[in-house]
Amino acid sequence: MSLARASSSLAYPERFHAAALYAGFGGSPNSSGNPISKFSNESALLLYGLYQQATIGPCNVPKPRSWSPVEQNKWTSWHGLANMASTEAMRLFVKILEEEDPAWYSRVPEFVIEPVVDVEMNNPKPEPQMANGNHYPETKTISTENGSTLETQDKDVVLEGLGSVGVYDQWVSPSISGQRPKARYEHGAAIVQDKMYIFGGNHNGRYLNDLQVLDFRSLAWSKVEVKLVTESLDSPSPVPLVPCAGHSLIPWENNLLSIAGHTKDPSESVSVKTFDPQTSTWSTLKTYGKAPVSRGGQSVTLVGTSLVMFGGEDAKRALLNDLHILDLETMTWDDIDAVGVPPSPRSDHAAAVHAERYLLIFGGGSHAACFNDLHVLDLQTMEWSRPTQQGEIPSPRAGHAGVTVGENWFIAGGGDNKSGVSETVVLNMSTLVWSVVTTVQGRVPLASEGLSLVVSSYNGEDILVSFGGYNGRYSNEVNVLKPSHHSTLQSNMIERPVPDSVAALHNVTSAARDVESEFELVQEGKIREIVMDNDSDPMESVVQNMKSEKTGEAIVASLKAEKEELEAALAREQLQSLQLKQDLVEYDVRNSDLTKELQSVRSQLASEQSRCFKLEVDVAELRQKLQTMETLQKELELLQRQKAASEQAALNAKQKSSGGVWGWLAGSPPNQKEDDA
């Protein structure tokens, strides 16, 4: 017999009223009074409609005639719920609030009355709970595709840091203290001395430059008060730290290196900054050689003492597929011209190194498409190749994140410009065989773009840690996954039978973990034997009936939860449909106005075309008259020349026939002299 902690929660309608007051409905003194300021517009409108439906009933008020879109949308949200029952509206209200803010219940102390009692239980393990796609603060789990039950830790169970993760191959949301960082995506994440540092990122289109740290030993957030960045390690003059997103954050010698990234005013080339956790100071490192052009969304992989940079998107949104290497010992850039066919230009892809020799590039996207191709670069021969992938090849994606554990490459998140990717996959880099580790459901941070993924360890076990992302809304949640030994060997098992030596090693390392599962199988076998022989013992039949009733109750509870999910989804779809109809009406009105304006413009254009035609006719006539005038001018000039020639000829003839100057002096006119003769 063992003791387990159990807690009770408020029943309906008290739970609904507590949720309504927390959300800002009902005049809570602790609320903002404006629910829209706390949630997204879609969620706030849906919460408003459900609150009105639960407290007042179906909408019987006329549609507002005002031109305020907020009032019209509120009425549309309420009216779209039709005759939904008040109790159903209450449950859906709480359901949606828990999806938007999973920890709301623990943040309302005046309504959270959870006395802790000691309950005797026969089962040494806590009672598992059915996952239904929501994040509850009591369970702190991520639902899986097959709806399997997950063991969780109670909030009050004291375990050190990541040691609270007790399940394998499932994403779990641990209980974390401290003020959460601002939600973001396209940030940088790296681990230095059991602490995960988060730097920069994008929130609502604004670049960030804050530095947040999560201590894995205490699982507590804190903000690092950094000093102003210095221009270089040799020059102490401080300069402001430029906000950025899409950069790469790399741990190096207990420091952090921030490389490249999108900024508001981009520089011409890539810059390298370093952060010293001991002095909380940023510095800009001086590099040599030809630095790559500035970019974001690239991959930067640490290989030995060098950083290998591939691809990305420059400041002019041009996609890149160039290759550069930065030697961290000499801080010298080298532009690499590899042989073979490189990956097509892309950004937001994932990269990993295998055996300190092979660089793997997977996925990424262009402006129009996402990829799921795999490319390998031999860093010794600098030759690209595209090997054949095997197993469950992942779907195309971009904005995903990956980490390596031994020869296994775990990849989570990403999207295809339509929806987020729900599968967490693993690639065995030796056999190039893909397999699926787990699948999440719903619009959760694990199915989003721009999340970060790092790997830590606790008691010799590797643990994946994800943060942030964007899938319609920005996230600041932390989720962890402890990969089992089975998941890391699964790729090899798919490709070929496991050798005896590997199987023996697997059995030894998994012996402690499998004892519990074998005990459960034995117990299950005993239960099945009792079920088969229940006709011989009435008491056993009663026990079976009781178990059947409990199973039936569990099924009913699961169906109710699924019904609530479907109703919530239906309410959202109805609200979205109504909003689309309203938008369609507005677009029709706008289209009508634009059509009238287009007709008016066409009429003016026709008038101008007619006027232009008349002007062209007048111009043609004037040109014809001008040609006629030129012809007349030429004829006039010819006549004038002929007249001048005639006059000159007549004058010459007259002078010749006058008898010369002596006759003139004698006084006899020329005509008289001719008569006398």
Side-chain angles (χ1 to χ4, degrees):
M1 307 288 289
S2 62
L3 296 178
R5 300 180 64 86
S7 61
S8 61
S9 59
L10 291 176
Y12 289 93
E14 287 79 7
R15 190 176 182 87
F16 162 73
H17 293 306
L21 289 175
Y22 174 80
F25 298 93
S28 170
N30 297 329
S31 64
S32 63
N34 184 9
I36 297 180
S37 65
K38 190 175 295 185
F39 307 104
S40 63
N41 291 339
E42 178 184 354
S43 299
L45 290 173
L46 186 54
L47 287 173
Y48 170 82
L50 291 171
Y51 176 79
Q52 296 294 100
Q53 191 81 6
T55 56
I56 300 176
C59 179
N60 294 322
V61 299
K63 185 176 182 180
R65 297 183 178 180
S66 63
W67 289 98
S68 173
V70 176
E71 295 299 325
Q72 292 185 359
N73 289 335
K74 289 167 66 176
W75 181 89
T76 301
S77 175
W78 183 14
H79 186 267
L81 299 177
N83 295 322
M84 178 183 292
S86 175
T87 56
E88 296 296 327
M90 290 182 181
R91 294 183 180 276
L92 285 177
F93 184 96
V94 176
K95 191 84 168 178
I96 294 173
L97 178 61
E98 288 175 343
E99 291 181 355
E100 294 291 331
D101 191 353
W104 75 269
Y105 194 50
S106 61
R107 297 174 184 170
V108 191
E110 61 268 29
F111 288 99
V112 179
I113 306 174
E114 296 186 346
V116 178
V117 297
D118 292 332
V119 181
E120 293 186 357
M121 302 182 65
N122 295 324
N123 191 348
K125 296 189 302 181
E127 183 75 13
Q129 299 184 5
M130 182 66 68
N132 57 7
N134 294 321
H135 297 280
Y136 292 93
E138 293 85 357
T139 58
K140 306 186 293 299
T141 60
I142 304 296
S143 62
T144 58
E145 184 180 30
N146 56 10
S148 61
T149 59
L150 304 179
E151 294 184 23
T152 58
Q153 300 288 341
D154 189 88
K155 286 182 180 179
D156 299 328
V157 176
V158 179
L159 290 175
E160 182 182 359
L162 295 177
S164 60
V165 181
V167 296
Y168 291 89
D169 296 334
Q170 299 292 345
W171 285 105
V172 179
S173 178
S175 178
I176 297 178
S177 60
Q179 184 176 1
R180 292 185 179 184
K182 180 178 291 186
R184 67 192 70 195
Y185 82 122
E186 291 185 340
H187 52 277
I191 296 178
V192 175
Q193 296 180 347
D194 292 332
K195 294 181 179 180
M196 180 177 69
Y197 290 85
I198 301 295
F199 171 63
N202 190 326
H203 177 83
N204 289 335
R206 294 184 177 181
Y207 298 142
L208 308 175
N209 65 348
D210 59 331
L211 185 64
Q212 309 283 342
V213 59
L214 175 63
D215 192 329
F216 285 153
R217 291 168 293 186
S218 61
L219 286 183
W221 279 109
S222 61
K223 182 178 180 180
V224 180
E225 298 297 334
V226 301
K227 299 178 182 179
L228 292 178
V229 63
T230 57
E231 187 63 29
S232 66
L233 294 178
D234 300 330
S235 175
S237 58
V239 295
L241 185 61
V242 178
C244 62
H247 51 287
S248 300
L249 199 64
I250 307 295
W252 172 250
E253 294 183 344
N254 291 328
N255 287 354
L256 296 174
L257 298 178
S258 177
I259 301 98
H262 295 297
T263 58
K264 183 178 179 181
D265 298 318
S267 59
E268 294 183 357
S269 59
V270 166
S271 62
V272 181
K273 297 181 176 62
T274 179
F275 176 76
D276 186 354
Q278 301 297 327
T279 61
S280 298
T281 304
W282 281 101
S283 301
T284 301
L285 297 179
K286 184 178 181 180
T287 60
Y288 303 91
K290 184 179 179 182
V293 65
S294 63
R295 67 192 65 196
Q298 71 291 325
S299 64
V300 177
T301 309
L302 180 62
V303 183
T305 60
S306 299
L307 295 178
V308 182
M309 175 185 290
F310 172 78
E313 183 182 47
D314 66 11
K316 299 180 181 179
R317 295 203 65 196
L319 294 171
L320 307 170
N321 66 342
D322 51 349
L323 188 65
H324 303 269
I325 294 181
L326 175 63
D327 189 333
L328 294 177
E329 294 181 342
T330 62
M331 297 304 298
T332 303
W333 283 105
D334 189 7
D335 186 3
I336 304 300
D337 187 12
V339 299
V341 180
S344 60
R346 65 189 64 197
S347 65
D348 299 327
H349 51 278
V353 62
H354 176 52
E356 294 295 317
R357 174 174 176 176
Y358 301 99
L359 179 71
L360 286 75
I361 303 292
F362 171 73
S366 63
H367 297 311
C370 295
F371 312 118
N372 65 341
D373 49 355
L374 178 66
H375 298 263
V376 177
L377 173 67
D378 189 332
L379 296 174
Q380 291 187 3
T381 62
M382 287 300 170
E383 181 178 1
W384 285 106
S385 62
R386 186 174 178 178
T388 302
Q389 306 178 66
Q390 302 183 40
E392 303 178 55
I393 301 177
S395 59
R397 65 194 66 191
H400 47 289
V403 292
T404 58
V405 178
E407 62 178 10
N408 293 281
W409 188 15
F410 291 87
I411 291 179
D416 57 359
N417 297 326
K418 297 179 182 178
S419 60
V421 177
S422 58
E423 300 88 7
T424 299
V425 297
V426 59
L427 173 69
N428 185 289
M429 293 184 287
S430 296
T431 61
L432 299 182
V433 177
W434 289 99
S435 58
V436 177
V437 178
T438 185
T439 302
V440 297
Q441 283 185 336
R443 194 172 62 176
V444 297
L446 272 308
S448 60
E449 299 182 22
L451 78 168
S452 62
L453 191 64
V454 297
V455 58
S456 182
S457 61
Y458 181 84
N459 285 342
E461 291 186 307
D462 297 303
I463 298 179
L464 311 185
V465 183
S466 74
F467 173 78
Y470 178 79
N471 56 1
R473 57 173 177 257
Y474 297 90
S475 170
N476 60 353
E477 294 186 14
V478 174
N479 293 287
V480 298
L481 181 144
K482 183 187 294 185
S484 66
H485 191 59
H486 171 72
S487 67
T488 57
L489 290 178
Q490 187 173 2
S491 299
N492 286 329
M493 295 171 64
I494 294 175
E495 174 66 13
R496 59 182 181 271
V498 180
D500 295 338
S501 58
V502 178
L505 178 62
H506 173 64
N507 293 334
V508 171
T509 55
S510 304
R513 193 180 306 161
D514 294 339
V515 168
E516 184 177 339
S517 60
E518 290 176 1
F519 175 78
E520 292 176 352
L521 290 175
V522 172
Q523 295 296 328
E524 183 181 1
K526 292 181 179 180
I527 293 174
R528 290 178 179 174
E529 291 175 1
I530 293 174
V531 172
M532 294 174 62
D533 300 332
N534 60 0
D535 293 336
S536 60
D537 192 345
M539 183 58 67
E540 293 179 355
S541 178
V542 172
V543 173
Q544 181 189 358
N545 291 335
M546 294 176 63
K547 292 181 178 178
S548 299
E549 291 178 358
K550 291 182 179 179
T551 304
E553 291 176 357
I555 294 175
V556 170
S558 176
L559 291 176
K560 286 183 178 180
E562 186 176 358
K563 177 185 177 184
E564 291 178 357
E565 289 183 0
L566 293 176
E567 288 176 342
L570 178 60
R572 285 197 184 91
E573 293 297 331
Q574 289 177 346
L575 176 60
Q576 185 177 6
S577 177
L578 291 173
Q579 290 178 344
L580 290 176
K581 289 181 181 179
Q582 183 177 357
D583 294 341
L584 181 60
V585 172
E586 294 177 357
Y587 291 150
D588 289 340
V589 174
R590 186 177 179 183
N591 186 33
S592 178
D593 295 340
L594 292 176
T595 302
K596 292 180 181 179
E597 185 177 355
L598 178 61
Q599 292 177 352
S600 175
V601 171
R602 285 178 175 175
S603 177
Q604 295 178 2
L605 180 61
S607 176
E608 292 297 327
Q609 288 178 342
S610 177
R611 179 182 176 187
C612 182
F613 179 74
K614 292 180 180 179
L615 290 175
E616 289 178 352
V617 172
D618 294 340
V619 169
E621 292 178 353
L622 290 175
R623 285 179 177 175
Q624 187 175 4
K625 290 181 179 180
L626 181 60
Q627 292 177 354
T628 304
M629 291 179 63
E630 290 178 353
T631 303
L632 293 175
Q633 182 70 23
K634 291 180 180 179
E635 292 179 355
L636 178 61
E637 291 177 355
L638 179 60
L639 291 175
Q640 287 178 350
R641 287 196 297 270
Q642 292 178 353
K643 178 181 177 183
S646 300
E647 290 178 352
Q648 185 66 31
L651 181 60
N652 292 337
K654 182 177 180 181
Q655 291 178 354
K656 186 176 181 180
S657 60
S658 61
V661 68
W662 299 108
W664 180 76
L665 291 176
S668 31
N671 295 333
Q672 182 178 358
K673 187 177 180 179
E674 292 176 358
D675 294 339
D676 294 339

